[in-house]
Amino acid sequence: FFFKQKTAYEIYQCDWSSDVCSSDLFFIKSADDQFNLQLDTLMQFRYSYLLSDDGNRTRTKEGTVPNPGLGETGVDSSASAFEAERARIKLSGHVLKDLQYMIQLEMDDDVNNSTYLLDYVLAYSFMPEFGLKAGRYKGAFGRQWNVNPSQLMMVDRSLASAVFNVGRSTGLEAFGECPLGDTKLHYRAGIYNGINDTTSSPFAQNDNNPAVAARLVLPLMGATPTDFDNESALMGQIGRASWREW
């Protein structure tokens, strides 16, 4: 069971945040629209039941073989619980029209429900074909991973996405869209501190093992990436993504 927000759409045009933006959100802006601040929230709630095949109680709660000498006993490791899978607050907008920013807080860390900084982004589009963004965000790899969770049909992503995504990392990235016939080729390419690097370690602790990732998307049949939020028409797209970590 889950709650899914339906008011937002993914930014594909510049793809600077791989997150959400919508005119339906609460916002504050200057009269000339040179400065803008938007507030967005996301909560996804679910009930899960994990049925274990350990009905004969041969394992501990941690999944290890019990040691009677230590007073350990086998238990039924099946689990049942309600959970807030995602509980987020996001501030985003622009400064002097073209400099975009985004800060996103996560209030469910799957351990003790503490709040932490999930994403932070600064992005500037010099022209439709080229822009730069810096901060910590989702790497330029994969299809489902880069779709905002509010736009997914289910709370969980696929197992393939969980295994192969590159996670979030801190780095610098180029993005843009290049005309190609009746459509446009959208690209992202960046260098990051590493794959699945969600820490903010001091510079002295840097392991000097950067990662690079790149992603190309070509919409088909005259579609644009934002058209994929509308499921009423037949559309298609092809893409290619690669990454490497040293």
Side-chain angles (χ1 to χ4, degrees), residues 154-176:
M154 303 296 292
V155 171
D156 291 314
R157 290 184 170 89
S158 67
L159 291 178
S161 178
V163 171
F164 293 107
N165 78 71
V166 297
R168 288 174 163 85
S169 188
T170 305
L172 178 67
E173 184 177 297
F175 62 87

Side-chain angles (χ1 to χ4, degrees), residues 123-136:
Y124 189 88
S125 182
F126 298 91
M127 60 187 73
E129 295 81 9
F130 179 73
L132 289 174
K133 72 175 180 179
R136 184 168 70 202

Side-chain angles (χ1 to χ4, degrees), residues 73-224:
T73 59
V75 298
D76 183 355
S77 55
S78 298
S80 172
F82 292 97
E83 179 186 11
E85 176 63 12
R86 297 178 182 92
R88 298 175 181 176
I89 294 178
K90 189 186 73 171
L91 300 175
S92 62
H94 58 255
V95 177
L96 298 178
K97 195 67 174 181
D98 296 321
L99 179 62
Q100 301 181 72
Y101 65 89
M102 186 269 289
I103 298 174
Q104 185 165 223
L105 301 177
E106 174 67 80
M107 286 163 284
D108 175 39
D109 62 357
D110 293 329
V111 179
N112 54 13
N113 294 326
S114 62
T115 301
Y116 65 96
L117 184 60
L118 181 65
D119 297 303
Y120 51 90
V121 177
L122 278 177
Y124 189 88
S125 182
F126 298 91
M127 60 187 73
E129 295 81 9
F130 179 73
L132 289 174
K133 72 175 180 179
R136 184 168 70 202
Y137 46 87
K138 296 176 181 178
F141 186 83
R143 175 64 179 92
Q144 192 183 51
W145 172 243
N146 279 277
V147 175
N148 185 270
S150 68
Q151 297 303 108
L152 299 176
M153 294 182 67
M154 303 296 292
V155 171
D156 291 314
R157 290 184 170 89
S158 67
L159 291 178
S161 178
V163 171
F164 293 107
N165 78 71
V166 297
R168 288 174 163 85
S169 188
T170 305
L172 178 67
E173 184 177 297
F175 62 87
E177 55 183 29
C178 303
L180 186 64
D182 294 333
T183 184
K184 294 180 180 180
L185 179 67
H186 301 255
Y187 75 89
R188 292 174 57 196
I191 181 168
Y192 315 94
N193 284 347
I195 299 302
N196 284 304
D197 176 24
T198 59
T199 62
S200 297
S201 302
F203 180 78
Q205 297 180 16
N206 194 295
D207 60 7
N208 296 316
N209 292 322
V212 294
R215 182 173 184 260
L216 295 173
V217 176
L218 179 64
L220 303 176
M221 296 180 285
T224 65

